[in-house]
Structure formats: C-alpha cells, structure tokens
Amino acid sequence: MNPGTGPLPPPFPGAPTSAATPPAAATAPSIATAPPASLPAPSSSIDAAAEAAAAIAQAADPARKLVVLLADGLRADTARDYMGYLQALNEAGRAQWRSLRCELPSLSRPLYATVINGEPPLAHGILGNGQAGQPLSHHLFQQLDAQGVPAAIAAYHWFYELLAGEVFDPLRHRDAVPAGCGIQAARWYWEDDYPDSHLLADAEALRRAHLPVPGPSLLFIHPMGPDLAGHVHGGESSQYAMSARKLDMLLAQLLPRWHADGFDLLLTSDHGMNADRMHGGPLPVEREVPLVWVPHDGAVGLDLPERQTGIAAWILARLGIKDATGGAPA
C-alpha cells in the first residue's frame, strides 16, 4: 500500500487529464453494451432553466461532501419498484436515476475492488470471493488522503482486506484503520446478517465524529441486507423486495440529516441477484444495478458514470480531486 505522504497512485481509468475540462462535463467512457436507462426520469414539471443553473452552481462548488452507499446485491429493477422514498425524490425532481451494468464476474469481492479502484476484475486481479487478504495496489482513498480530503468507511470486512492486505480478525480489527490507506475512521462488520439499521447508525456516528462540516469529505457505506435476502430467499422473493423497502425507510431517516449538513448521496450496488439465489454471470438480473444521485441542493443535471469502472474517478471529481497526472477535476 502506498502511504499518504508518498507518490500518488496511478490514475483511474477514465480519470480527467485536461485542465480545460469543466467539472460537470467529464464522463466515464461509454460502451455499446450499456443498457438503456430503465429507471424513471425526473419530473417534467421541473423548470429546465433552474435545473441547469443549479447544475452549474454544483459543478463550480469546490467543497462537495459526499455519501456513497453501495447496497450489496441490489438489482436495478428492485430499487426502482420498492424504494418509495427515493422515488418520491425522483418524482419531485430532486434525484437522478439510471442503471448500469456491473463488470464480470458479477461477484462481490471483485466488484468491491472495481468500485474503489476503477478497473475491471481482469485488470486489478481480484477475480473471486475467496481471495482473502489480497490487497489492491491503488484505490480512491489513497488519492483522497494525498489531497487532504478526509474519509470514513462503514463496510463489510472484505473491504478491510482489500485495503490492508491481510486477513480480517474481528477481535483486532473491528475499528482498525489500515496504515497508508487514506481513511480517518472505520467500522467493519463480518457477519452477513449484521442489520443494515445498525450499519447505517455506525456510519452516521463516524460522520458526525470524524468528518468536518466545512470542506469536502467522503462517507462510504456498504450494507449487506439485499444480498443476504437474495442468497437466502432468491432475487424474486418477497423477502428480497422487503430488504430494499427497509433500506429505503432507513434512508428516509438519514438523508435529510445528510442534506442538512451539505452531503450529497450516490447510491449504487456491486451486482444484482438471480431467482436461483446466486449471481456471478452475465444475465441482466445479475448485472444491472441502480445508480441514483441525490444532491443536497437539487442540482440533478449531471452526467453520471456509464460504467462501473467510472465510479471511482467520478467520486474523486465530485470531491474536487485532481488526478495523478495533475489534470483538472472532472
């Protein structure tokens, strides 16, 4: 792992390189196989001029604060059909929805790595869930640390292993911050049935204690509820749908607090879930995941990543971080 004071890690695929590129204009590379945006469009009642002005103001803001919520195993259609609070924001023109296809194999550990690293599994080398303790050579938290942007994370222990390069020990590492990973505070869980309600409470405690109100900062949250329900009951089950409903109700409690403190929300997932209680392959139900942008100021007119490999660079751009070659923020 590169320490925060050492050389910057390599840039992410799709990261900006030109200082002439305005913040709101850069997007990740598009691919022909990307699915159409199947999730609902914002309300047509929103005044287009006001929306454009808000987007310009947001792009010019150098101090964005961001919550990234990676809901494990959440299908795009399940999010669309059962997350009523987020849909209310969408209908009010305060959220921006789309879907994207996850990379392959559509497994958790490889795609955790992709989300924070910006490379497909074939490039970063995390190809299966059994690669415990294998670290990523570079990731977005290192770049945040190099630029002095604080970050906190509440996530499954596989994220700890990707950052620390060692097998997680729950009796030693519950709140451990791996050296040189660029994180100020962490809370890791290791049982798949750890309630999403508890994890989001953990994350909120980290935010309030460690992330300052002024200036950019990142809170990264990784709940497991949809994935667990899918593995036990299947991706077409009422239990799986209920896991999405519960997460939506939790967000109805937390998102107003985040917005009040100037934090925006980006919600997505690592992969989907099949009716056979598994994922890993190329079927749409296993690959299509939601991508939901809910800014605190209603500025929803932004280009969102077209591919999962573009999420890391997009997060850095929203936080005003230059890429490793010294280009302007995306």
Side-chain angles (χ1 to χ4, degrees):
M1 307 299 291
N2 294 330
T5 56
L8 288 177
F12 295 107
T17 57
S18 173
T21 302
T27 62
S30 61
I31 54 173
T33 57
S38 59
L39 298 176
S43 170
S44 59
S45 65
I46 298 301
D47 182 81
E51 181 181 349
I56 293 172
Q58 182 189 43
D61 186 349
R64 303 304 293 192
K65 296 183 282 290
L66 185 60
V67 176
V68 173
L69 194 150
L70 186 72
D72 202 301
L74 180 62
R75 281 167 40 168
D77 59 344
T78 301
R80 178 195 64 213
D81 293 343
Y82 297 105
M83 302 189 78
Y85 170 61
L86 290 185
Q87 284 290 15
L89 293 170
N90 181 63
E91 290 186 4
R94 295 166 53 190
Q96 184 175 346
W97 287 69
R98 64 157 292 142
S99 62
L100 53 76
R101 285 183 180 174
C102 74
E103 298 297 314
L104 291 173
S106 54
L107 295 170
S108 291
R109 194 189 294 263
L111 298 183
Y112 298 169
T114 291
V115 168
I116 64 173
N117 166 272
E119 297 174 343
L122 290 179
H124 60 58
I126 308 296
L127 301 173
N129 288 340
Q131 292 175 245
Q134 181 171 333
L136 283 172
S137 62
H138 62 277
H139 49 77
L140 66 87
F141 295 107
Q142 294 167 327
Q143 296 225 18
L144 293 176
D145 186 56
Q147 297 295 324
V149 175
I153 180 170
Y156 194 57
H157 70 286
W158 287 1
F159 274 98
Y160 173 88
E161 295 180 342
L162 289 171
L163 299 177
E166 65 175 334
V167 175
F168 180 82
D169 180 350
L171 300 182
R172 295 177 52 223
H173 299 144
R174 171 67 159 148
D175 299 296
V177 176
C181 77
I183 295 171
Q184 278 62 51
R187 172 59 60 92
W188 315 102
Y189 66 101
W190 59 96
E191 299 287 356
D192 290 14
D193 60 357
Y194 189 68
D196 289 356
S197 59
H198 290 43
L199 182 72
L200 267 67
D202 291 340
E204 179 63 0
L206 292 176
R207 184 186 74 86
R208 295 173 64 87
H210 298 281
L211 300 183
V213 172
S217 57
L218 173 66
L219 177 64
F220 191 96
I221 313 174
H222 169 238
M224 186 69 73
D227 187 73
L228 176 65
H231 282 304
V232 175
H233 303 286
E236 302 291 339
S237 66
S238 60
Q239 293 90 341
Y240 181 70
M242 182 58 70
S243 70
R245 295 185 193 272
K246 288 182 177 179
L247 182 58
D248 182 71
M249 289 185 281
L250 290 170
L251 287 174
Q253 299 177 45
L254 282 163
L255 188 54
R257 300 187 185 200
W258 295 340
H259 278 178
D261 286 341
F263 280 80
D264 305 324
L265 171 66
L266 182 72
L267 179 147
T268 188
S269 182
D270 50 348
H271 55 73
M273 183 65 63
N274 203 333
D276 67 359
R277 301 182 295 176
M278 193 53 194
H279 51 87
L283 292 174
V285 292
E286 300 179 30
R287 294 192 71 182
E288 293 184 17
V289 298
L291 190 69
V292 186
W293 170 241
V294 195
H296 76 282
D297 54 6
V300 295
L302 291 182
D303 290 325
L304 296 176
E306 296 287 339
R307 295 186 58 177
Q308 197 171 48
T309 51
I311 291 176
W314 191 93
I315 291 170
L316 290 172
R318 297 315 309 148
L319 295 169
I321 303 301
K322 296 180 180 180
D323 68 82
T325 61

